[in-house]
Amino acid sequence: MAETIKHVRRRYAEHVAALARTEWTELIEAFANVPRERFVGPGPWTIIGGDMQRETTPDADPRRLYRNVLVALDDSKSLNNGQPQFWAMMYARLRPQPGERAIHVGAGGGYYTAILADLVEWNGWVTGIEYEPNLADGARRNLADRPNVEILAGDAHTMVEGTCDIVVASCGF
């Protein structure tokens, strides 16, 4: 019998945390709880490994996404979902806390924005900014059930107002 998606996500979360050299429970929980497949479009997916080798998954089984790999979001623009180990390491160092305000520049489809929203919890606030209008629209849809997240589309240099506790960026110039 195939492993349940819940177990696959848990194993992935623990693996990514180990790669990032952290045992931070809240981070592991956030990676285990946020469904990556919701944020990367329909499968089959183009996966990009550590050696930058590309492969297409043979089907749309979401279990194939729970590896420390990039997932292409828009191949024509070389946009991807980002490497889980990198984000786990960054969040482990920044330690977003409940109630904080965070800004995520380059939100893409919203996956790491959702993880950040889990970390700042219900009383925190995350502003995700995505330059690509189609990705911003997707992120809005993907994060519609999270009342502590807003997604803005456009140039982050001109959009953010007020103070914040954390700024993370994953974007090109």
Side-chain angles (χ1 to χ4, degrees):
M1 184 171 148
E3 193 174 19
T4 68
I5 192 68
K6 182 178 178 179
H7 288 115
V8 170
R9 280 190 196 121
R10 168 63 55 183
R11 191 169 29 89
Y12 157 79
E14 291 169 355
H15 176 68
V16 167
L19 291 172
R21 298 183 181 171
T22 183
E23 295 178 5
W24 185 27
T25 305
E26 289 84 352
L27 182 67
I28 294 168
E29 290 302 316
F31 269 89
N33 291 333
V34 175
R36 194 176 193 193
E37 63 273 15
R38 180 176 177 182
F39 299 91
V40 294
W45 300 278
T46 300
I47 303 289
I48 307 157
D51 55 3
M52 299 311 286
Q53 289 293 315
R54 303 170 80 75
E55 68 178 87
T56 300
T57 61
D59 55 37
D61 183 344
R63 290 168 186 82
R64 300 189 189 282
L65 296 171
Y66 291 98
R67 299 166 32 204
N68 186 40
V69 294
L70 304 171
V71 180
L73 297 177
D74 184 339
D75 261 339
S76 69
K77 295 179 181 174
S78 298
L79 299 175
N80 63 65
N81 175 251
Q83 186 184 37
Q85 176 185 357
F86 169 80
W87 284 95
M89 194 174 345
M90 183 169 30
Y91 287 159
R93 288 187 180 159
L94 292 172
R95 293 273 176 152
Q97 296 297 305
E100 290 187 328
R101 179 175 185 221
I103 297 170
H104 179 189
V105 179
Y111 178 61
Y112 297 107
T113 310
I115 291 173
L116 188 54
D118 271 14
L119 294 170
V120 301
E121 296 186 3
W122 63 271
N123 59 339
W125 185 256
V126 179
T127 300
I129 303 171
E130 176 52 51
Y131 184 78
E132 294 293 329
N134 290 339
L135 289 179
D137 289 343
R140 268 191 214 97
R141 284 190 304 276
N142 298 336
L143 295 160
D145 64 337
R146 293 179 178 268
N148 66 335
V149 176
E150 70 175 335
I151 298 294
L152 306 176
D155 183 351
H157 292 101
T158 63
M159 302 190 90
V160 178
E161 293 182 11
T163 61
C164 68
D165 300 291
I166 295 171
V167 177
V168 295
S170 55
C171 55
F173 290 96

